[in-house]
Amino acid sequence: MDAEFEAASRPLMEAFKQGTLTMVLSDLTESELRSAPPAVQALADAVPRAHMERIALTDGAIQMAEKYIAAGAIGAAHRIDARHIALATVNDVDVLVSWNFRHIVNVWRIRTYNAVNVALGYRALEIRTPREVVNHG
């Protein structure tokens, strides 16, 4: 892991381990973790299940992701990223945390994601980097 990313990611994972924050883990993320380097897998495995909430990909989230694509927030080639955002939205997650600046943590895309969310009766989703979440005080 790049040192810049590790510096903020480790305190975030510590907050999950201690239960200061709750990790929301989707089946999409679990699938991605299976192909991640062992060190990354170990970080996620160290979070106690009691400090985790698991969510599953639903038809509603799949449909929401397609609406993001139709609105031009993200291309169809990046449907998985759209599904991550949709899962967080339909499950009323407080903050989606990502280092994906191209497709997720991008102010122009976030505006479109949230325009779709609000138009469909959901609240705007906070999308932030780990650095923004751990450096809150």
Side-chain angles (χ1 to χ4, degrees), residues 103-115:
H103 303 119
I104 298 178
V105 189
N106 174 303
V107 68
W108 309 110
R109 294 181 192 276
I110 291 168
R111 288 179 180 172
T112 307
Y113 297 137
N114 282 327

Side-chain angles (χ1 to χ4, degrees), residues 12-25 43-54:
L12 178 64
M13 296 307 294
E14 275 303 311
F16 291 144
K17 282 174 31 178
Q18 295 172 6
T20 307
L21 298 174
T22 300
M23 175 187 275
V24 178
L25 190 64
L43 286 172
D45 289 343
V47 176
R49 298 291 178 220
H51 301 165
M52 238 183 240
E53 179 184 336
R54 295 185 177 276

Side-chain angles (χ1 to χ4, degrees), residues 12 16 22-26 28-29 32 55 68 80-101 103-106 110 113-114 117 123-133:
L12 178 64
F16 291 144
T22 300
M23 175 187 275
V24 178
L25 190 64
S26 72
L28 288 179
T29 304
E32 290 173 340
I55 58 176
Y68 297 144
I80 295 297
D81 294 327
R83 288 179 176 180
H84 281 295
I85 295 158
L87 273 165
T89 298
V90 302
N91 286 283
D92 202 29
V93 170
D94 289 330
V95 181
L96 184 147
V97 180
S98 176
W99 283 120
N100 182 334
F101 295 113
H103 303 119
I104 298 178
V105 189
N106 174 303
I110 291 168
Y113 297 137
N114 282 327
N117 291 350
R123 68 181 171 99
L125 176 63
E126 289 288 335
I127 300 176
R128 304 286 179 209
T129 67
R131 184 180 300 115
E132 293 173 293
V133 175

Side-chain angles (χ1 to χ4, degrees), residues 10 36 59-60 64 84 119 125:
R10 286 205 181 271
D59 289 339
M64 175 72 86
H84 281 295
L125 176 63

